[in-house]
Amino acid sequence: MSNTAAARAFAPATVGNIICGFDIFGLALGAPGDEVEAKLRDEPGVVITAVHGDGGRLPIQADRNVVGVAINAVLTECGLENVGVEIEVWKGLPISGGMGGSAASAVAAVVAADELLQTRLSSEAMLRCASEGERGPKGDTHPDNIAPALHGGIVMVRPDEPAIAIPLPVPDGLSVALVHPDLELETNDMRGVLPDTIPLSKAVRQWADCSALVVGLYEEDWDLIRRALVDRVAEPHRIPFIPGFGAVRAASLEAGALGAGLSGSGPSMFALCRTITDARSVASAMAEAFAGVGLEGADTHVSEVGNTGAHVIKPPA
């Protein structure tokens, strides 16, 4: 194999949970996202040469970084353990920001490796390898971020082993306003604040809202989508860690959002909107509300729900 061969891939930011669907629903944005470039090398094994955009915080040891573990999973999946791969990473997503940053890196790595090695992995195998990538150094994996980063659109993830991703329809115009304040919250810490059990009455209402959201997406029933966007399981326990949560959500609804809540485990917050124009107005209102509690300069991202997911790209000239 020539050691000049290379492939580069992009994977987008994602929103896990989508408010009512804790650990089972996720959606992809069109941008921003992470990029990974993979090249063949003469020596067997996986080497990370650089990680850009992380402020030097992420490890470059392949067994401690999701991209290295993900590509090793591809090599194992395809019986190519004697092949050498060199990786370079460009982080476009914040660390511990609730935007699926580790999932995007793992997915971009798998897509780049698949293109480089021409292994033609199935979507199920890609999901499996990316999940192993995130599980390796983090000790946990989040298919509700990995699946939409890989496939795009809105997905439902069955908690099988391995996980199964089921695409859901995206109503025309459905857009996302996402605001990332200058905070970091570790996903594992935010899972640690959740109770081990919930009252049956809350569980029943949550199941009903999950079902209602699916029906609303299929029927493009905007009112049903709006009424389904309630989280009785995770959000009540995580709100205290997000300054101004109530004000930001109220501002989004006043500006025309269908519903708003935490993106994943936070600190980012997102809102679903009927149009991209609505999403722009909602994002501005949410950022202004964060500024009102002292979190000025929050990053805003506005996008229609991204239908392409991860894909191979050309490196910048």
Side-chain angles (χ1 to χ4, degrees), residues 51-60 95:
V51 179
H52 308 280
D54 68 328
R57 297 175 58 189
L58 295 176
I60 62 170
I95 299 170

Side-chain angles (χ1 to χ4, degrees), residues 28-32 173-178 271 275-276 279 301-306:
L29 278 68
L174 185 64
S175 299
V176 182
L178 190 148
T275 68
I276 194 72
H301 305 283
V302 176
S303 169
E304 290 190 353
V305 174

Side-chain angles (χ1 to χ4, degrees), residues 21-243:
F22 180 72
D23 273 2
I24 61 170
F25 290 151
L27 64 80
L29 278 68
D34 287 356
E35 296 180 14
V36 174
E37 186 168 280
K39 299 178 181 179
L40 291 173
R41 60 191 298 268
D42 293 332
E43 297 292 325
V46 178
V47 172
I48 301 174
T49 59
V51 179
H52 308 280
D54 68 328
R57 297 175 58 189
L58 295 176
I60 62 170
Q61 296 89 345
D63 62 344
R64 297 180 54 210
N65 190 303
V66 296
V67 298
V69 180
I71 290 184
N72 265 315
V74 171
L75 298 179
T76 300
E77 177 86 18
C78 300
L80 298 174
E81 290 89 345
N82 291 326
V83 172
V85 180
E86 178 181 296
I87 315 165
E88 194 166 358
V89 182
W90 288 263
K91 289 293 296 179
L93 299 177
I95 299 170
S96 302
M99 296 171 63
S102 61
S105 290
V107 168
V110 168
V111 172
D114 183 62
E115 176 69 13
L116 174 72
L117 303 171
Q118 291 294 292
T119 46
R120 295 180 176 83
L121 291 172
S122 66
S123 59
E124 293 81 8
M126 285 190 174
L127 181 65
R128 187 165 57 247
C129 290
S131 296
E132 285 305 309
E134 191 177 40
R135 190 194 316 274
K138 294 175 69 68
D140 194 12
T141 188
H142 304 285
D144 57 325
N145 288 119
I146 291 173
L150 179 62
H151 298 292
I154 302 175
V155 298
M156 177 172 61
V157 180
R158 279 186 52 85
D160 297 276
E161 192 60 47
I164 297 173
I166 302 169
L168 298 174
V170 179
D172 287 345
L174 185 64
S175 299
V176 182
L178 190 148
V179 182
H180 173 61
D182 188 16
L183 288 174
E184 289 186 9
L185 294 175
E186 289 287 345
T187 301
N188 285 343
D189 292 341
M190 289 299 95
R191 293 184 84 87
V193 305
L194 302 181
D196 293 328
T197 61
I198 58 173
L200 181 59
S201 59
K202 286 187 178 181
V204 170
R205 291 184 178 185
Q206 194 88 349
W207 298 332
D209 282 333
C210 287
S211 302
L213 180 58
V214 172
V215 173
L217 293 173
Y218 270 99
E219 296 189 353
E220 297 195 16
D221 186 331
W222 298 104
D223 185 59
L224 185 58
I225 292 171
R226 177 186 61 78
R227 288 185 287 125
L229 295 175
V230 180
D231 181 5
R232 299 172 177 84
V233 173
E235 187 178 278
H237 303 280
R238 291 170 168 171
I239 286 175
F241 298 90
I242 315 295

